Amino acid sequence: MYERDVLSEDWRRPLRGKIPQVPAELDLVVEDADGGFCGAVVACDKEAVTLEDRFGRRRLFPLEPAAFLLEGKVVTLVRPAAAPRGPRRSASGSIAVEGLRAQVAKESRIYVEGVHDAALVEKVWGHDLRVEGVVVEYLEGVDHLPSIVEEFEPGPGRRLGVLVDHLVPGSKESRIAAQVSSPHVLIVGHPFVDVWQAVKPSVLKIASWPSVPRGVPWKEGVIAALGWDLEPADAWRRILGSVATYADLEPELLGPVEELIDFVTVPGEDGQPRTHQEGS
């Protein structure tokens, strides 16, 4: 009376056209319809899925139609669609330029006080500066800034941006910066005694940067207060090595550096000298 034996097929599986397809996302819990192995998805490629049960045992299953049960219902597992990839970001947060080639450096320059400042700027903004063709050099101290600016001979298309430590009203650094007057020079700064302090303490797993008494060399005082058995050069390597992106730096440094990059790459509109001081 029957054309086929209704008990000869797997009663759990509905007609194939009605079986839903489910992406094999990580941690999805399913059961192998044939053997009863139940586990969470831990890996999936174009041909097979790996399940791990509650005892940590793993088994590999081919991605066949109607091969799994999800909450008691037959499903076909399929490889998840690849997540859309956004643009890669540089350490500064800007969109990275792929396939960047070396180019002739612009005449405009950015000067920073010392080698530590230069290393930190390079680590976070190095990609951006290479895209723009801007070179960073260091002053080895701010005392000779007016003569260095004069020697540089800034002008249209040859701008100079300067980053100064501890540029706050009334400081020695602010008095020296005030001696420079040129529409083609921008002097900005941060309030920190040393660029070390521009790294967030949490990045180094310390509560805060210690206060160093007057008359004590700042770097050595910080190292002693933190209990680091290191020379200043080694301490700096530890600090710099902890920095990965702009998010590891204080806003008081981020803003001035971004302003300098804009100044030496985008012509100003007012043609007037600009000096930015934190706290002014």
Side-chain angles (χ1 to χ4, degrees):
M1 297 179 62
Y2 298 98
E3 295 182 359
R4 60 187 176 88
D5 183 355
V6 295
L7 300 179
S8 65
E9 299 179 3
D10 191 339
W11 59 269
R12 294 173 299 182
R13 301 187 182 186
L15 295 177
R16 288 199 170 185
K18 301 179 181 179
I19 298 173
Q21 292 187 341
V22 177
E25 304 284 358
L26 293 179
D27 298 326
L28 177 72
V29 177
V30 294
E31 180 182 346
D32 167 38
D34 289 326
F37 185 89
C38 182
V41 174
V42 293
C44 184
D45 59 29
K46 63 181 181 180
E47 296 180 351
V49 63
T50 302
L51 304 182
E52 181 179 291
D53 69 8
R54 61 193 181 94
F55 301 107
R57 295 175 299 193
R58 295 190 176 189
R59 286 187 59 184
L60 184 70
F61 297 92
L63 290 176
E64 295 180 345
F68 300 92
L69 300 178
L70 175 62
E71 297 179 350
K73 298 181 180 180
V74 178
V75 298
T76 296
L77 290 187
V78 295
R79 188 181 186 183
R85 295 182 61 184
R88 189 173 66 86
R89 297 281 175 174
S90 70
S92 71
S94 64
I95 296 176
V97 177
E98 304 291 350
L100 181 64
R101 294 183 177 182
Q103 58 178 306
V104 177
K106 290 182 172 63
E107 290 191 64
S108 297
R109 292 284 189 273
I110 291 177
Y111 274 55
V112 297
E113 281 208 47
V115 66
H116 291 181
D117 308 69
L120 188 58
V121 169
E122 162 61 27
K123 183 157 191 180
V124 177
W125 288 275
H127 175 82
D128 306 59
L129 293 167
R130 283 186 286 277
V131 169
E132 299 292 349
V134 174
V135 174
V136 174
E137 301 183 22
Y138 56 94
L139 303 169
E140 296 186 353
V142 74
D143 297 272
H144 305 293
L145 177 60
S147 61
I148 290 173
V149 172
E150 182 179 359
E151 182 180 351
F152 183 80
E153 297 182 348
R158 185 176 170 80
R159 290 185 159 199
L160 181 61
V162 184
L163 180 69
V164 178
D165 296 345
H166 200 226
L167 189 63
V168 296
S171 68
K172 178 192 76 171
E173 290 81 2
S174 66
R175 291 192 295 272
I176 293 173
Q179 300 174 33
V180 177
S181 178
S182 169
H184 310 295
V185 178
L186 173 64
I187 301 174
V188 299
H190 55 73
F192 309 117
V193 175
D194 191 279
V195 76
W196 288 18
Q197 287 181 301
V199 178
K200 291 179 178 178
S202 59
V203 174
L204 296 164
K205 297 180 173 55
I206 59 176
S208 62
W209 286 101
S211 178
V212 178
R214 287 183 176 275
V216 176
W218 191 85
K219 289 183 174 68
E220 287 77 1
V222 165
I223 292 170
L226 293 176
W228 292 354
D229 185 19
L230 298 170
E231 293 296 322
D234 296 321
W236 171 242
R237 278 192 285 272
R238 172 185 289 187
I239 295 166
L240 185 63
S242 301
V243 175
T245 72
Y246 72 97
D248 296 328
L249 304 181
E250 300 287 2
E252 292 88 345
L253 178 67
L254 297 176
V257 174
E258 295 286 352
E259 189 177 0
L260 284 180
I261 295 174
D262 288 344
F263 178 77
V264 298
T265 57
V266 180
E269 297 179 355
D270 54 12
Q272 299 298 315
R274 293 182 282 174
T275 300
H276 169 82
Q277 294 188 350
E278 292 294 336
S280 60

